[in-house]
Amino acid sequence: MANAYMIGNQAIVQRCLTAKNEWHAKASMIFGSALKMAIPILVLFPGLMAIVVHPGLLDGDQALPMMIKTILPPGLVGLMFAAFFAGLMSSVDSLLNSTATLFTKDIYEPYIKKNADDKHYLKVGKITTLVLLIIGVITSPISSDFPGIYVAIQTFMSFFQGPLFAILLLGIFWKRTTQWGGLSALIIGIGSAVYLNVFKDIYFTIEDPFLYISWWSFLVGFIVNVTVSFMTKSHTEDQLKGLVFSSKLFAKNKT
């Protein structure tokens, strides 16, 4: 499911769109994916050290702060927390920007108000960002229902990663895919993920089965996408030109 995060996360995609050219965009994705492979190690070691240094620690989310407080000198403690909040702010503003852009360009502009000037759409984007912040503040107490922040994030991501990856995979490699197939896969796939999470005690034997939920929702989304696409009108070759992977396109890019 890591592929779904790297190619389906709009915040990452928008960063790639700022690249100098296509080669730099591809290189940034590969380099970023390679760096992300080290994250499990970075997450694992502080927790293992915390078990030894603070054996009575009950809250896993307190492992890293306690290790920083115990091991690092005062100056580096402040620097570490500053780096932590800088990374958090970077992730939050990227998410807000990408979500506001998606709403403004893909929903508001084509369906609500067409042919407005850039200042108007910029204002709509700012208002959308403010609304998203308010929604985030209101819904933040939901995370307290989970055993930890990590579990909460992974659980919410499992609702979307599977269906989105199925849509992206078929959209890139299968010409017969239609927008109705993708929309149906998204709705039913997310619904199946939520259903599996609600009744996880019945279907799974582990405590936090978010990876299994992602896999099964991916499978559901894939099947629904294929089924609905066969039942709806396909796109013409001209509409799909340059959008769907083919051996001809690969040979053209290689030359």
Side-chain angles (χ1 to χ4, degrees):
M1 291 296 106
N3 295 313
Y5 179 83
M6 293 304 299
I7 66 177
N9 189 324
Q10 186 65 19
I12 294 178
V13 173
Q14 283 195 353
R15 287 187 172 95
C16 292
L17 293 176
T18 63
K20 181 180 179 180
N21 51 43
E22 184 178 349
W23 187 91
H24 283 85
K26 292 178 179 179
S28 65
M29 290 290 287
I30 296 173
F31 184 65
S33 300
L35 291 177
K36 194 167 180 63
M37 293 175 64
I39 289 181
I41 299 175
L42 298 176
V43 173
L44 179 65
F45 272 101
L48 293 176
M49 290 188 292
I51 294 175
V52 178
V53 179
H54 301 284
L57 190 64
L58 299 178
D59 187 0
D61 290 333
Q62 295 297 320
L64 182 59
M66 289 298 294
M67 291 301 297
I68 292 174
K69 182 179 179 181
T70 303
I71 297 176
L72 297 181
L76 289 181
V77 170
L79 182 62
M80 180 63 72
F81 277 104
F84 173 78
F85 283 111
L88 179 63
M89 291 171 62
S90 174
S91 299
V92 171
D93 66 22
S94 297
L95 180 62
L96 290 173
N97 180 60
S98 60
T99 307
T101 302
L102 285 173
F103 172 78
T104 305
K105 300 298 292 183
D106 295 342
I107 298 176
Y108 185 85
E109 183 176 351
Y111 298 109
I112 299 177
K113 189 169 184 178
K114 300 180 180 179
N115 303 321
D117 56 16
D118 292 339
K119 289 184 178 180
H120 176 78
Y121 293 129
L122 180 61
K123 184 178 180 180
V124 172
K126 291 179 178 178
I127 295 173
T128 304
T129 302
L130 179 61
V131 172
L132 290 171
L133 281 172
I134 295 173
I135 294 174
V137 172
I138 294 174
T139 57
S140 59
I142 296 176
S143 61
S144 61
D145 297 333
F146 294 88
I149 297 176
Y150 175 79
V151 176
I153 293 174
Q154 294 299 324
T155 299
F156 286 121
M157 288 182 65
S158 69
F159 295 163
F160 304 97
Q161 279 188 326
L164 281 175
F165 188 45
I167 295 170
L168 289 169
L169 198 64
L170 289 170
I172 293 172
F173 293 104
W174 192 41
K175 293 183 178 181
R176 190 61 181 79
T177 306
T178 66
Q179 69 270 31
W180 298 113
L183 181 61
S184 302
L186 183 65
I187 296 173
I188 298 177
I190 293 175
S192 66
V194 174
Y195 171 81
L196 289 174
N197 182 70
V198 172
F199 298 100
K200 61 183 178 181
D201 295 334
I202 300 175
Y203 295 102
F204 306 103
T205 57
I206 61 175
E207 184 178 358
D208 301 309
F210 38 79
L211 288 177
Y212 293 96
I213 291 174
S214 296
W215 160 250
W216 285 110
S217 61
F218 163 79
L219 198 60
V220 170
F222 192 95
I223 295 172
V224 170
N225 198 341
V226 172
T227 303
V228 176
S229 293
F230 274 126
M231 297 171 61
T232 53
K233 184 179 179 181
S234 62
H235 295 286
T236 63
E237 289 290 336
D238 292 336
Q239 291 175 319
L240 298 176
K241 187 176 181 180
L243 298 177
V244 181
F245 179 84
S246 65
S247 57
K248 294 181 180 179
L249 181 63
F250 180 76
K252 182 179 178 181
N253 290 335
K254 190 174 181 180
T255 56

